[in-house]
Amino acid sequence: MSDRSVVGGGRLTGEVRMPGDKSVSHRALIFGALAEGVSEASGLAPGADVRSTRGVLTALGVEFEDAPSGAVRVHGRGLGGLKAHAGELDAGNSGTTTRLMAGVLSGHPFQSTLSGDASLNSRPMERVAGPLRAMGAKIDLTKAGTAPMAIRGGNLQGFTYEMPVASAQVKSAILLAGLHAAGATSVIEKSPTRDHTERMLALFGAPPKRAPGRVEVKGGACLKAARVDVPGDPSSAAFWAVAAVASAGSELSVRGVLAGATRTGYLAVLQRMGADVRRAAAPSLSGEDCEDLIVRGGKLRGVEITAAEAPGLIDEVPILALAAAVADGESVFRGLDELRHKESDRLAGIAALLAAFGAKARVDGDDLIVAGGANLRGATVDSLDDHRLAMTGYVAGFLASGSTTVLKAACAQISYPSFYDDFDQRRTA
Ligand code: S3P
């Protein structure tokens, strides 16, 4: 039974600790697999996406051990040391698995095929295939430019790539391929995207050369096994932060959240909306800054979010749009074309979800305009099998009057399997 119902009302109190960051978790497993020696990752994201990365790496000959503590030990095979796998490599719903592993497999002189579920196999892959081909990989996609992605790697040549889209997945794929290439590989980005790959390269003993808007790796660098303690996921924290700031009387502490500048755009936006969000530095983990948040319910005002800000909060747009719906005054989110290419067409999905609750939102070109001042009414909403829309629908149901059902709610297990239960536990009347 994958639907989930929620009756609106009440507030959030107490303390909650975030599950491990999904982006860092994928990279911890991939870098562990490429390193020399045995790495250990603790606090990995519990969702299906990171299991997909583990499954793909297992099929490619990487051994994992689950320690009683919950940590995972990764037996590295060294750069270029993965073993060919005859069948399709199943990346499930995970774009990060597919695109990062496309970079890794481009460095291996054998044939592999990455594929996934219907959502994954409809997402654009030419954005990684194009530059990886330019480095020397042979890559075939469907006519629509989607997976299944057949890759024959090997003999890569380093190059300089200026990214046309702001994408950390594309940047990471090229850097991972660059580790396996002859000479240096540079990526130039116009707007900063999440930099976990760069930080993890340093943690594994191969710091890249970094300058503003540019990162460079050298082929053949030796990665040394490392211990990765994964910080909490800010993209998960955003659901809690919005639920608390938008519900009168809430006071919630959200602990152990990754605080890097490329991931905290959502907090800057909430603060511009007048939300009571206090940030306190927490001990950093494995090269990533961390923080605790204290969030309290109060009044919100509309906000304008520029296109330049979009890459730094792209995964948080659904839940920020919900905050905008209950704020006083109009909000405008600019430059959201990338949202059309996520686990669903999230731009259309958000507008439809907000409309179902009686809020006014419309898409104008690549912009999302949310009217504000909505009195949300409980609704039946379809998650479109998109985890972030499902959790946004659940929080909307909490903020709405009456009863809400989120259809296909079980997809929250992609990033945050315990979300609904954790949420219900922190609710008081
Ligand atoms: C991710 C990068 C972003 C983000 C995704 C995770 C990553 O995607 O939306 O959830 O881990 O590199 P894009 O690179 O497509 O922007």
Side-chain angles (χ1 to χ4, degrees), residues 310-327:
L313 46 75
I314 197 73
D315 291 343
E316 292 72 64
V317 172
I319 192 68
L320 287 175
L322 175 63
V326 297

Side-chain angles (χ1 to χ4, degrees), residues 41-187:
S42 64
L44 285 168
D49 266 12
V50 173
R51 281 203 302 282
S52 292
T53 289
R54 178 170 171 165
V56 165
L57 290 169
T58 302
L60 292 163
V62 181
E63 269 176 50
F64 294 92
E65 268 175 86
D66 293 291
S69 63
V72 173
R73 287 160 69 80
V74 189
H75 293 257
R77 299 189 59 88
L79 265 194
L82 298 180
K83 288 202 284 202
H85 176 73
E88 279 192 348
L89 296 162
D90 182 6
N93 190 244
S94 175
T96 310
T97 307
T98 311
R99 297 196 178 108
L100 269 56
M101 286 308 299
V104 171
L105 289 168
S106 290
H108 285 77
F110 52 70
Q111 181 77 32
S112 10
T113 303
L114 284 160
S115 187
D117 67 12
S119 153
L120 184 71
N121 285 358
S122 67
R123 295 177 65 183
M125 292 299 157
E126 188 54 42
R127 56 180 60 195
V128 281
L132 293 172
R133 281 190 203 109
M135 296 177 79
K138 294 193 177 48
I139 302 188
D140 291 319
L141 300 172
T142 66
K143 275 207 190 81
T146 57
M149 174 157 35
I151 303 173
R152 172 164 282 279
N155 284 324
L156 298 188
Q157 190 60 49
F159 83 142
T160 296
Y161 185 63
E162 192 169 336
M163 287 201 296
V165 283
S167 166
Q169 294 179 357
V170 173
K171 173 175 67 177
S172 303
I174 296 166
L175 294 176
L176 285 162
L179 291 175
H180 299 80
T185 295
S186 297
V187 180

Side-chain angles (χ1 to χ4, degrees), residues 22-24 26-27 96 99-100 123 127 166-172 193-194 196-197 235 263 311 314-315 338 341-343 346 387-388:
K22 191 155 77 69
S23 292
V24 173
H26 285 295
R27 288 160 173 82
T96 310
R99 297 196 178 108
L100 269 56
R123 295 177 65 183
R127 56 180 60 195
S167 166
Q169 294 179 357
V170 173
K171 173 175 67 177
S172 303
T193 62
R194 62 191 71 192
H196 309 303
T197 296
S235 301
R263 298 291 299 280
I314 197 73
D315 291 343
E338 271 302 296
H341 309 298
K342 297 295 178 187
E343 287 82 331
R346 275 190 193 150
H387 55 126
R388 302 209 193 279

Side-chain angles (χ1 to χ4, degrees), residues 273-300:
M273 295 178 85
D276 187 349
V277 177
R278 282 161 219 208
R279 304 173 63 177
S284 64
L285 288 176
S286 302
E288 297 277 4
D289 294 336
C290 295
E291 65 187 340
D292 294 330
L293 308 173
I294 296 188
V295 275
R296 294 193 179 87
K299 281 223 155 299
L300 301 176

